[in-house]
Structures are given as structure tokens and as C-alpha cells.
Amino acid sequence: MNPLSLRNVTKTYKTQGKPLITAVNDVSFTIEPGSIHGLLGPNGAGKSTLISMISGMQAPTSGSITLFDVDMVRNPEQAKGFLGVVPQEVVVEMAFTVQEVLYYFSGMYGVPKAQRQGRIDHALEDLQLSDKKDEKAKTLSGGMKRRLMIAKAMIHQPKFLILDEPTAGVDVALRQRIWDIVRRLHAEGTTILFTTHYLEEAEQLCDTITLMNHGAVIKEGKLKDIQKEFSQNSIHFELYDQNVPHPEGVHRTGSEFEFPMRSLAEDMEMLTKHYNSNLKAIRSEAASLESIFLTLTA
Amino acid sequence: MNNGMWALYAREVKRFQKIWIDTIFNPIVSVGLYLAVFGVVTGGRDVATVPYLAFVYIGLLSMNLINASISNPAFALIISKNLGTIIDLQLAPIAPWRVGLAYALAALTRGIVTLGVAVLCTIWFIPLAGIAHPFLLIITILITGLEFGMLGVAFGMWAKGFEALTFLTTFILQPMIFLAGVFYPISALPHPWNIVSQFNPLHHNVNLIRYAATGFADGNPYTSIIVVGVLLFCVAIIMQVVVQKKLRSE
Ligand SMILES: Nc1ncnc2c1ncn2[C@@H]1O[C@H](COP(=O)(O)OP(=O)(O)OP(=O)(O)O)[C@@H](O)[C@H]1O
Ligand SMILES: [Mg+2]
């Protein structure tokens, strides 16, 4: 019983006077119980659209979506009950305090009244919002609002947590904290699906990934396997002076540069010719997710 | 997931509790002002067996109930769509019709609170000789509040912005209220408006409430019972369809 199974999911948008937009194009993959799955891809790849269909906010144009073997289109109320979702866009209530937002939202997921306060205190502690609990949600800072969104998604202890760019606009310390929470929930048995543009985060966290571009899946599977597949073809090098022109295909990963290997001899020759004495070190290594991403979405 | 629906109901009740000044004073002021005017102008006259002031009083209360029930969910939902918090309704494991019902029940609750407050503040000035049909009165008040609550839900889900709501209240609801026999019996209207008023669904709600309260009916109460019943059913269907459509696609 997989937490998620997508079969040939497609979503098209019709806007008047414009050509049909295919936001998600024939996407199929499954997520196994207890895994952390990264959904990656450049802006506009269709990640959020896919997530909104998985969470039952939009119906797919075609294809099927099942959560723990429950069909999202035919049986949405049951399927939604498994889920906690952090949407990409931060939205907050005008009228309610942080505590009230969580109180009613957990109630809407069927958390009994008697249990709500305990869970609220716990979630607020987790996300370092305890001292804000009686403030109006709209007065929180941007990062705090996002944390409130995360608290809302986990307060009913879902079996499957979906986070659409949970760390966008969040400071470094807090990003660490968010991923610690995700790791802990994962250790407790929660299945996780998330998107991020910080590929180091995905690299550290994910068991499996789906890479999307232009609405379609271009790579899917275990992160390790994908890296292995690319490992023989990646050359890393360092330079003394980094502000020089680079040959095509070279991209930067941190303080290093990286490019897909053609043949070792040929590439060495190219590098020495191009950079000359500027070259500090060269090695071939497992490709970083960033370089795989750039190669595949180029 | 009944629990979820009741939590949503509680949330929407809480929302209007937060603006209790508006909830309480708005109806008192509007009913009070109308009454003062009509009291002065028409003092002492009767409509059939009922003093005019009592006649118009019940009409005004009905109008208040209808206004409160329709605008509460419509406002809440339009704001929610503008803020984007409508996403909470899309994510929660609550069937769309239950979402609609939760909002409509909250609207009914507000309508009744509003009504109660307005009655408490004004009943002392009205020449009412007891309630003619108390049980029918309770039922018709509940049904009217729910009916217009559901209409408000459907409208709030459907409308894009506040202009639509202004349009509804100014160009549709107000004229309908004026042709509903709130201020005078519809038989007193010139032809053809007296006939048109018969087809005004609002007239039947007002008529039924007034019949239950005073025993005077401005048209056959049984017709009104049937019309109100059919309307409740239709509005429920419309609400279900609109909510379902809007929560699953936006
Ligand atoms: N409601 C809509 N109507 C029309 N087009 C839409 C709609 N929603 C999304 N799209 C289009 O679908 C495509 C995918 O958008 P989506 O938001 O899913 O991308 P994304 O992968 O989440 O991007 P990002 O990383 O920027 O969040 C885009 O081209 C977008 O313009
Ligand atoms: Mg997105």
C-alpha cells in the first residue's frame, strides 16, 4: 500500500485566446512507505500543479492519483485525511490568532477538542512560535507565517506530509530546524514529499527523487542510483582565479567547478589548455545533484 | 468527517463573534431607525387586524434575518478567496456540501443572534398581542436563516469580488425586499406589482414569519409553506453544486 501512486497524470489549462497550457504531462511514479521523496525541477516545471492535484485541490485532466490505495478523485475526503500539506504560497487569516488558526484547522481534520491544546503547544514549541501564540497571525513576519503553515500541516499528525518549498524565504538556522523536524517525522514513520530549489538540501535528505521539466518527468528513482549513473561522467576542478570565462557545459558548485565528462584524456587536455596555470586541482567524482539537475534540464 | 464540519462551523461563529459590535449594533440601529420613522408617520393605523407598527416590525426583523444570513457567508468567503485562505477548505477532509452547510449554519446562527438582540431591544415598543403560532415561528425562522445562509454560501463561492456582493445587495436583494411586503401588504401595491410580488420568493418567507408571529397572512400561508420548502431544496442543490465546483478547481 503505497502512500502515493500516480498514473499518467496530466493537467491542462485553457485560458481564453491563448494556446492550451500543459502544466503536467503524463506523470507516473510511486512513493514507497516511509521514504523522503524530492520533487525537483526549474520554475514552472509543474511541481506545484502536481502537488495541488495530489492534495485534491484540483482534479487532474486525466490519469489517476491514489493515496494509500484510496482514489483522490473518487474518494477525496478519505484520501485527504491521510495528508498534511504545506502549500507554496503563504496565506494567513486576518481575524485569528496563531493559536486559534491551529485550533480550528486541527479540528477540521477531526482532532478531538481535548487533544488540540496539547498538540498546539507542541507544534508551536517545535517551530519556535510559542511566544507568538496569542498574536494575530497576520502580524507575524514572513518566515514566521511560513512556520505557521508548517505547524498547520503537521498538527493532525498525517501519515503523509507534503511540503512545497517549505524553506523558501527562511533563514539558515530555521532551515536547519525545519529539516530536523522533517527528519524526526520521517523517523516516526511519516512519508514525506517535498520540493525545494536548494539542491544541497534535497541531496542531504532524499531517498528518492523525481526530476521534472516542462510538465514531464525526466528522471525518477533512488538518488544513489541516479548519482551512480552520472558518477563516471563528472569532472570537478578548482581554480586560483575564478573570475575567468568558462567553456560551455562548465558550472559552478560551491567553490568548485564541474562538468559532464566525455573522455578523461580529452577533458584533461581541454582543461589544461583553457585554464593553464590557473588550474588548482582536478578529480572525477560522483556528480552533485546540482550538476545532474543542470545537465538534465539544460 | 462530521467533526471537521463542526470545527469549521465553530470557526465561522468565532469569526463573527470577533466583530460583535457590528453583529449587535447594526441590526439594532437599522430596525430602530425604521421603526422610529414608521412609528411617527403611521402611528395608530392598522393592517387588517394587526397594528401597522407590529406588521412592519415583523417585516423588518425578517429583512434583518435575511440580510445577516446572506451577507455573513458571502463576505467571509469572498475575503477568504482574496486572501487565499480558501485553500484551507480545499485541503481539509470535509465534503464540499458539509463545508457549505457549516458556513450556512454559522450564518443562521448569526441571523438568530442578530434577531434575538434586535427583538430584545425593541419588542417593548411594539403593540404585539402574543405569538400566534410559536412552533411554526421557530421553524420558519430556522428555515429562512438556513435558506439565505446557503444562498450566501453559493454566492460567496461564485462571486469574484466585493463588487458582485454590492451588486447583489443593491440591485437584487433590496428591490426584492421592497417587493416582499416588508413595509406594507403586497395587496396594497398597484397592479402589476402586486402580482409580481407573488412570485418574489422573499415575500413567502416574510409572509410565513409574519403569519406565525401575528396570525395575519398577506396571501395564503400554505402556498408560502410550499414555496419556502421548494426553495430551500433548490438552494441546497445550487449550493452543493457551486461549492463542489469551486473547491475542486480554484
Ligand atoms: N491556474 C493556472 N492557469 C494557467 N496556467 C497555470 C495555472 N497554474 C499553473 N499554470 C502554469 O503551469 C505551469 C507550471 O506551474 P507550477 O506552479 O506547477 O510550477 P512549479 O514547478 O511549481 O514552479 P516554481 O518552482 O516556480 O514553484 C506554469 O507554466 C504555470 O504558468
Ligand atoms: Mg511551485
Side-chain angles (χ1 to χ4, degrees):
Chain A
M1 206 164 63
N2 286 324
L4 177 68
S5 158
L6 301 174
R7 242 163 290 135
N8 310 105
V9 175
T10 294
K11 180 80 193 177
T12 54
Y13 290 110
K14 257 186 245 156
T15 22
Q16 276 184 338
K18 285 189 192 144
L20 208 68
I21 299 172
T22 306
V24 172
N25 190 359
D26 197 25
V27 167
S28 305
F29 66 87
T30 56
I31 296 181
E32 283 173 17
S35 56
I36 302 192
H37 190 95
L39 181 59
L40 309 172
N43 288 137
K47 305 178 296 293
S48 298
T49 307
L50 188 60
I51 283 176
S52 79
M53 289 189 281
I54 296 170
S55 31
M57 293 185 267
Q58 297 186 42
T61 311
S62 62
S64 84
I65 298 168
T66 55
L67 292 127
F68 298 97
D69 288 349
V70 176
D71 190 295
M72 179 52 92
V73 176
R74 266 178 249 138
N75 210 342
E77 281 70 50
Q78 197 192 342
K80 286 176 184 180
F82 299 125
L83 285 177
V85 182
V86 182
Q88 180 172 4
E89 275 184 47
V90 174
V91 293
V92 288
E93 284 279 358
M94 298 301 276
F96 297 127
T97 65
V98 168
Q99 197 164 209
E100 285 167 343
V101 166
L102 293 173
Y103 181 83
Y104 293 114
F105 198 63
S106 58
M108 286 162 66
Y109 277 86
V111 178
K113 272 189 191 155
Q115 290 179 23
R116 289 188 214 162
Q117 197 56 51
R119 295 215 196 169
I120 291 170
D121 292 341
H122 188 236
L124 289 178
E125 187 124 338
D126 244 355
L127 289 148
Q128 297 180 318
L129 285 172
S130 298
D131 53 333
K132 298 282 177 188
K133 68 178 184 182
D134 291 316
E135 312 226 341
K136 285 260 171 74
K138 66 172 176 187
T139 65
L140 298 180
S141 79
M144 291 175 191
K145 283 178 185 159
R146 193 172 284 281
R147 276 182 269 164
L148 177 58
M149 302 287 286
I150 296 172
K152 276 169 81 179
M154 50 185 258
I155 191 122
H156 58 285
Q157 300 171 342
K159 287 164 77 175
F160 185 12
L161 185 62
I162 299 179
L163 308 101
D164 196 351
E165 294 193 40
T167 51
V170 169
D171 70 43
V172 183
L174 210 79
R175 240 151 73 192
Q176 287 303 331
R177 177 133 197 134
I178 290 173
W179 293 128
D180 285 346
I181 292 169
V182 167
R183 276 199 198 91
R184 195 195 67 219
L185 292 174
H186 173 242
E188 289 165 8
T190 312
T191 303
I192 316 272
L193 168 67
F194 73 92
T195 75
T196 179
H197 288 292
Y198 299 103
L199 294 175
E200 331 81 72
E201 292 181 345
E203 198 159 9
Q204 283 169 26
L205 281 160
C206 293
D207 307 318
T208 49
I209 63 163
T210 298
L211 193 55
M212 287 180 77
N213 199 13
H214 302 302
V217 173
I218 51 177
K219 202 82 198 173
E220 204 270 318
K222 286 206 167 66
L223 180 59
K224 283 204 190 84
D225 294 346
I226 294 173
Q227 282 179 317
K228 213 176 276 167
E229 186 186 322
F230 281 77
S231 66
Q232 275 83 35
N233 342 17
S234 181
I235 291 198
H236 293 237
F237 60 93
E238 289 172 53
L239 296 174
Y240 291 107
D241 177 9
Q242 302 182 338
N243 298 318
V244 292
H246 302 288
E248 205 177 311
V250 170
H251 37 77
R252 198 183 181 130
T253 47
S255 63
E256 288 189 338
F257 294 87
E258 185 179 350
F259 71 98
M261 181 162 82
R262 281 147 293 202
S263 88
L264 192 57
E266 218 177 279
D267 290 332
M268 295 294 260
E269 199 186 316
M270 188 275 285
L271 280 181
T272 41
K273 224 178 197 167
H274 187 91
Y275 294 108
N276 231 313
S277 57
N278 192 14
L279 211 54
K280 195 168 163 191
I282 308 178
R283 67 204 151 77
S284 84
E285 204 192 68
S288 71
L289 187 51
E290 192 163 321
S291 99
I292 295 173
F293 182 93
L294 288 168
T295 309
L296 287 173
T297 58
Chain B
M1 286 269 179
N2 276 312
N3 295 343
M5 183 185 97
W6 289 113
L8 180 57
Y9 165 77
R11 189 185 84 174
E12 293 311 306
V13 169
K14 182 84 183 176
R15 193 188 302 282
F16 77 72
Q17 278 177 0
K18 293 206 167 214
I19 44 165
W20 63 271
I21 297 208
D22 187 53
T23 308
I24 290 179
F25 284 102
N26 195 333
I28 296 175
V29 171
S30 78
V31 173
L33 284 179
Y34 274 115
L35 279 181
V37 172
F38 287 116
V40 171
V41 175
T42 66
R45 248 179 279 170
D46 288 349
V47 172
T49 54
V50 184
Y52 179 77
L53 209 55
F55 176 93
V56 82
Y57 181 60
I58 302 296
L60 287 171
L61 291 179
S62 313
M63 184 181 85
N64 249 288
L65 173 68
I66 288 170
N67 266 334
S69 308
I70 206 165
S71 58
N72 188 65
F75 258 106
L77 285 168
I78 292 175
I79 291 176
S80 170
K81 285 202 289 191
N82 281 304
L83 289 177
T85 49
I86 189 99
I87 199 171
D88 287 354
L89 305 180
Q90 296 179 294
L91 288 176
I94 309 175
W97 70 269
R98 285 192 205 273
V99 169
L101 189 60
Y103 271 81
L105 287 171
L108 171 67
T109 308
R110 181 170 186 175
I112 286 177
V113 170
T114 302
L115 195 70
V117 170
V119 167
L120 270 180
C121 295
T122 51
I123 191 90
W124 323 107
F125 308 105
I126 307 301
L128 259 181
I131 294 170
H133 309 283
F135 183 67
L136 182 66
L137 184 63
I138 292 171
I139 297 288
T140 43
I141 286 175
L142 291 180
I143 287 182
T144 303
L146 194 61
E147 182 186 319
F148 287 92
M150 291 195 295
L151 204 60
V153 172
F155 189 80
M157 282 283 179
W158 170 80
K160 289 250 153 52
F162 291 101
E163 310 81 52
L165 188 60
T166 315
F167 181 86
L168 175 81
T169 46
T170 322
F171 294 103
I172 299 176
L173 212 53
Q174 285 300 32
M176 276 173 90
I177 284 172
F178 274 83
L179 290 178
V182 168
F183 304 105
Y184 38 74
I186 59 168
S187 55
L189 283 172
H191 199 73
W193 297 108
N194 54 355
I195 306 294
V196 171
S197 294
Q198 301 262 332
F199 294 95
N200 177 358
L202 249 91
H203 161 68
H204 296 280
N205 292 88
V206 174
N207 186 36
L208 214 50
I209 292 176
R210 187 179 286 126
Y211 171 71
T214 66
F216 169 76
D218 182 17
N220 190 337
Y222 292 101
T223 313
S224 293
I225 288 180
I226 292 169
V227 172
V228 169
V230 170
L231 230 62
L232 181 71
F233 181 75
C234 293
V235 170
I237 303 279
I238 292 171
M239 180 194 80
Q240 144 74 8
V241 170
V242 175
V243 177
Q244 169 87 30
K245 189 167 173 304
K246 291 295 173 177
L247 286 187
R248 283 293 138 76
S249 62
E250 276 181 320

